[in-house]
Amino acid sequence: MAWARWGCCPWLVFLCALGAWGHPKAANLRGEDVRNCSISPPYLPVTAVNTTAQLTALRQQMHSQKLSAYIIPETDAHMSEYIGERDKRRAWITGFTGSAGTAVVSVGKAGLWTDSRYWTQAERQMDCNWELHKEVDITSIVTWLLAEVPAGGHVGFDPFLFSIGSWKSYYTALKNSNIQLVSITNNLVDLAWGSEKPQFPSQPIYALKEAFTGSTWEEKVSDIRSQMQKHHKGPTAVLLSALDETAWLFNLRGSDIPYNPFFYSYTLLTDSSIRLFVNKSCLDSETLKYLNSSCSGSMCVQIEDYSQVRGSVQTYASGDVKIWIGTSYTTYGLYEVIPLEKLIEDTYSPVMVTKAVKNSKEQALLRASHVRDAVAVIRYLVWLEKNVPKGTVDEFSGAELLDKFRGEEDFSSGPSFETISASGLNAALAHYSPTKEQHRKLSSDEMYLLDSGGQYWDGTTDITRTVHWGTPSAFQKEAYTRVLIGNIDLSRLVFPASTSGRMMEIFARRALWDVGLNYGHGTGHGIGNFLCVHEWPVGFQSGNIPMAKGMFTSIEPGYYQDGEFGIRIEDVAVVVEAKTKYPGSYLTFEVVSLVPYDRNLIDISLLSPEHLQYLNHYYQTIREKVGPELQQRQLQEEFQWLQRHTEPLSARALRTTSLAPLLVVSSLIILGWSV
């Protein structure tokens, strides 16, 4: 997936990446607001939401707290990528439903800050109570606050919705002004929202069957405690705030968050106790027994109410302790109650880093999920080939059908994100998704980009394929082939162990750069075992950790021609040991996504012998792994389609030299070789 949304530190890293590589063009960059708030009555699109009542209620709460302004980020208390309905506070107060942006309300004004992907959407959804600021940096928000808040005024915020980094940025920017930043744990939007706010989820939390876990939770706890003992600063506890950390540690899953099998939770793992903060009513007797919750030993999980985490951490921190945190996902709401001298700070917690490296069983589970996922995608592509020429398929109905096909696979637990089903010019928007009301017909005369994934008990999947059923232009074929070359060059790269992903990313772009093309999103992200589809800290950006054997990452270069078409080719790959001529500690990638690329879009004359060899080996792997699955299920039409689309490619007008030496030399010159 092309990184539709990240939370906290990962989201900031993504914005930095966009700044480095260029931002995808939005639908409206001309600077004109579709609203006209200067006339009486003002002109507003019919989609605009009247927020007068919401703002009045919030300002009443602000008055009671003696605040001059209040900041409302788009996140939850765990810095999650996807957030539940009850956490969509910014959407409730502004009417704007885009996944990125910060709202700020003062006594007399209200403003929204968001990036160019959402400018048109914001203009169509917000009424004239709101100013749209076409920026995302905290500096711009602070400049506005300095102009709007009187000297001596107080600016309030919910500390559970501020990352540590965000708080430091606001604090630093305001500390020399006569404006005070005030932490208020009772969220004022929640108080204004009142009884209409969605209730706390009450769906059951369940334990995964042993067949779908790589280790028992007791083994994982012992491993983290071992890391605590070996740490030179002597932590006595690890505090886990990200939802996937607790889910992974205990092999528990839930359904509180869209597209993610998570539940609202925190964990405080000490050297002698385990505290799980959760909605107790969601745990049945079987799960409580599984967690050894009735005893009080070091391997017994003490269940505490979710709302008590701040007080419990504060009490624990009053003792002779050292608390180890990952700053990327810990909010200021917990950070501010732990004395600095009792904190051990790393960018990522030991659970986040350990989770990133899959053991042999976890690797096998993820591989198996990709075989079944390939069946669902192939069924869909076969169906499209037959039905698109009839003119009866649109982006939304197609996405729904793919969800249905995935739902029929064993161990399915729904999609892993909202499907990007984009035809023609819509595919030029890297984060476009159709709706029931707004979508485009699929046509044999246009490119179609499909970025989708599934959640299965044994793994999470994410794959993108771009196809054309008619006659693509020469430029479309060249752009597609150069994207494919980038995918191949990165996938077949051999590199020293512990090399940072950012050192490799150039390999995915070089074939595009050669002719003056590029793409404006990241090149890849980690992926979990029935966890996050965007699993940090694996990937190719500056905030990612070095690559290690057993990590899974997506590889997804692309190209987007504004107003015409979009191309992305995404595979998931596992890091494995490389077979080199001479001894050494070297790694490479092995692709586990198993769906053929569109032969109709490949310009073979651009491929080197190495590229062809790689493609034909990959196609043979697809035949060996997916073919038997299709035959066993008597999907003969799909099997024949697979056979046709994985026939060996042959050279017609090959270049005599490989790009590989040029890639290596260019990479060394541009980036320098360091890990």
Side-chain angles (χ1 to χ4, degrees):
M1 183 186 182
W3 301 18
R5 182 176 184 273
W6 289 100
C8 188
C9 178
W11 173 243
L12 294 177
V13 170
F14 176 44
L15 289 178
C16 291
L18 288 176
W21 304 121
H23 201 290
K25 293 183 179 179
N28 175 22
L29 298 184
R30 63 190 185 278
E32 300 173 6
D33 196 327
V34 298
R35 305 172 297 173
N36 188 344
C37 298
S38 63
I39 61 175
S40 182
Y43 169 76
L44 292 171
V46 294
T47 49
V49 178
N50 186 335
T51 60
T52 300
Q54 292 94 307
L55 286 168
T56 299
L58 176 60
R59 285 175 173 136
Q60 288 173 350
Q61 297 296 332
M62 291 166 55
H63 179 75
S64 68
Q65 296 285 338
K66 298 180 172 59
L67 296 178
S68 299
Y70 191 68
I71 304 172
I72 308 152
E74 175 72 2
T75 189
D76 65 7
H78 307 274
M79 302 289 106
S80 300
E81 176 184 0
Y82 296 100
I83 61 176
E85 291 298 320
R86 68 187 314 273
D87 290 312
K88 295 181 178 179
R89 300 175 178 89
R90 195 224 56 217
W92 180 81
I93 196 68
T94 65
F96 166 63
T97 59
S99 62
T102 299
V104 184
V105 177
S106 68
V107 173
K109 290 185 178 181
L112 172 77
W113 283 255
T114 191
D115 67 73
S116 61
R117 293 173 298 153
Y118 297 110
W119 293 347
T120 298
Q121 180 181 349
E123 291 167 356
R124 293 185 180 279
Q125 291 183 320
M126 296 193 306
D127 63 9
C128 289
N129 286 309
W130 291 90
E131 301 173 350
L132 174 60
H133 297 266
K134 298 181 178 182
E135 300 175 89
V136 293
D137 58 289
I138 288 175
T139 302
S140 172
I141 297 175
V142 170
T143 299
W144 188 87
L145 287 170
L146 291 173
E148 293 299 321
V149 176
H154 291 179
V155 176
F157 70 98
D158 181 345
F160 282 98
L161 301 184
F162 266 47
S163 69
I164 297 169
S166 293
W167 174 79
K168 288 181 177 178
S169 295
Y170 279 106
Y171 176 79
T172 301
L174 291 171
K175 67 179 181 180
N176 293 324
S177 69
N178 195 16
I179 296 173
Q180 185 176 349
L181 197 60
V182 181
S183 170
I184 303 173
T185 56
N186 287 328
N187 190 283
L188 300 193
V189 175
D190 290 353
L191 296 175
W193 205 343
S195 60
E196 295 181 0
K197 181 186 175 182
Q199 296 298 306
F200 203 88
S202 58
Q203 297 301 311
I205 298 169
Y206 59 93
L208 284 175
K209 294 179 180 179
E210 185 177 349
F212 301 110
T213 63
S215 307
T216 66
W217 70 260
E218 292 92 343
E219 290 170 335
K220 293 178 180 179
V221 165
S222 296
D223 177 51
I224 300 303
R225 281 178 170 159
S226 176
Q227 294 183 47
M228 291 164 57
Q229 292 170 1
K230 295 174 183 177
H231 198 292
H232 68 283
K233 292 186 178 180
T236 61
V238 173
L239 176 61
L240 305 179
S241 294
L243 298 182
D244 60 329
E245 293 179 312
T246 290
W248 176 86
L249 182 66
F250 296 111
N251 295 327
L252 294 174
R253 299 295 188 269
S255 57
D256 292 355
I257 307 297
Y259 306 114
N260 291 272
F262 303 149
F263 50 94
Y264 289 105
S265 58
Y266 296 93
T267 297
L268 183 64
L269 172 62
T270 79
D271 47 14
S272 60
S273 66
I274 311 169
R275 303 184 197 179
L276 172 60
F277 300 88
V278 71
N279 183 353
K280 296 181 181 180
S281 66
C282 296
L283 300 170
D284 61 19
S285 58
E286 183 178 349
T287 306
L288 290 171
K289 181 179 179 181
Y290 163 81
L291 294 170
N292 300 331
S293 64
S294 61
C295 57
S296 57
S298 63
M299 295 302 288
C300 303
V301 181
Q302 303 169 29
I303 308 299
E304 299 192 27
D305 191 76
Y306 175 81
S307 63
Q308 300 303 309
V309 63
R310 180 178 162 105
S312 187
V313 168
Q314 188 170 19
T315 299
Y316 178 78
S318 66
D320 183 19
V321 299
K322 291 277 189 178
I323 303 176
W324 191 2
I325 66 168
T327 55
S328 290
Y329 291 93
T330 304
T331 66
Y332 186 68
L334 297 179
Y335 184 81
E336 70 174 336
V337 300
I338 305 173
L340 289 178
E341 67 273 12
K342 297 184 179 183
L343 274 170
I344 298 174
E345 300 181 40
D346 280 325
T347 305
Y348 304 106
S349 78
V351 165
M352 193 68 77
V353 175
T354 302
K355 175 171 58 66
V357 178
K358 277 59 174 173
N359 63 29
S360 57
K361 184 179 178 183
E362 290 168 329
Q363 291 179 39
L365 289 167
L366 261 169
R367 289 174 184 270
S369 69
H370 280 81
V371 172
R372 297 193 311 279
D373 195 70
V375 171
V377 175
I378 288 170
R379 288 180 65 192
Y380 179 57
L381 292 175
V382 171
W383 183 88
L384 287 177
E385 277 193 10
K386 294 188 298 183
N387 289 278
V388 168
K390 301 176 184 177
T392 58
V393 185
D394 63 60
E395 297 164 328
F396 184 75
S397 65
E400 285 192 315
L401 181 63
L402 178 56
D403 286 346
K404 176 179 179 294
F405 285 156
R406 277 200 171 97
E408 294 170 359
E409 294 299 318
D410 288 344
F411 316 133
S412 174
S413 188
S416 56
F417 58 93
E418 185 177 18
T419 297
I420 298 173
S421 172
S423 182
L425 56 84
N426 286 340
L429 303 173
H431 309 95
Y432 168 85
S433 288
T435 65
K436 189 174 183 179
E437 295 75 27
Q438 295 184 335
H439 52 257
R440 184 179 178 87
K441 279 284 181 70
L442 272 59
S443 168
S444 298
D445 299 323
E446 293 184 337
M447 275 189 173
Y448 174 59
L449 188 154
L450 176 72
D451 186 345
S452 65
Q455 291 284 11
Y456 304 91
W457 295 346
D458 50 353
T460 303
T461 68
D462 184 3
I463 184 171
T464 306
R465 291 294 182 262
T466 305
V467 298
H468 196 304
W469 297 285
T471 304
S473 69
F475 176 60
Q476 288 175 330
K477 292 187 68 170
E478 178 183 3
Y480 180 92
T481 306
R482 290 185 179 277
V483 170
L484 178 60
I485 289 171
N487 180 292
I488 294 172
D489 284 339
L490 185 51
S491 297
R492 62 189 289 267
L493 180 67
V494 175
F495 53 92
S498 297
T499 300
S500 298
R502 65 184 176 84
M503 299 299 300
M504 311 176 201
E505 207 241 15
I506 184 177
F507 285 82
R509 297 181 185 268
R510 174 57 195 266
L512 290 165
W513 285 1
D514 277 343
V515 293
L517 303 179
N518 200 4
Y519 55 93
H521 56 71
T523 295
H525 54 80
I527 196 162
N529 281 83
F530 192 28
L531 289 166
C532 289
V533 71
H534 296 143
E535 183 175 81
W536 279 73
V538 177
F540 298 96
Q541 303 304 309
S542 59
N544 295 134
I545 60 177
M547 291 290 179
K549 179 183 175 182
M551 290 180 174
F552 281 73
T553 181
S554 71
I555 296 174
E556 50 181 302
Y559 174 71
Y560 308 89
Q561 184 70 16
D562 187 37
E564 295 184 30
F565 64 87
I567 299 165
R568 189 160 58 254
I569 300 173
E570 176 186 17
D571 293 310
V572 171
V574 58
V575 181
V576 298
E577 291 182 1
K579 297 177 181 178
T580 55
K581 182 178 180 179
Y582 301 106
S585 183
Y586 285 82
L587 303 172
T588 189
F589 297 106
E590 181 183 335
V591 172
V592 299
S593 302
L594 297 167
V595 177
Y597 309 120
D598 186 8
R599 301 168 78 92
N600 190 35
L601 282 166
I602 299 175
D603 182 350
I604 295 181
S605 69
L606 295 176
L607 301 179
S608 70
E610 290 85 358
H611 295 138
L612 279 173
Q613 182 182 17
Y614 174 91
L615 275 174
N616 288 333
H617 180 267
Y618 175 56
Y619 282 173
Q620 183 60 32
T621 301
I622 293 176
R623 285 188 172 194
E624 293 172 356
K625 295 183 179 297
V626 182
E629 186 78 13
L630 295 172
Q631 288 182 305
Q632 180 182 347
R633 293 164 57 173
Q634 298 183 342
L635 295 171
Q636 292 304 318
E637 185 178 12
E638 287 79 2
F639 177 76
Q640 294 302 322
W641 181 94
L642 180 69
Q643 294 297 103
R644 292 195 305 273
H645 284 75
T646 55
E647 289 178 359
L649 292 163
S650 59
R652 290 205 301 264
L654 295 178
R655 294 174 294 177
T656 58
T657 58
S658 171
L659 279 175
L662 293 174
L663 289 167
V664 173
V665 172
S666 298
S667 299
L668 297 180
I669 292 173
I670 294 172
L671 298 177
W673 189 257
S674 63
V675 297

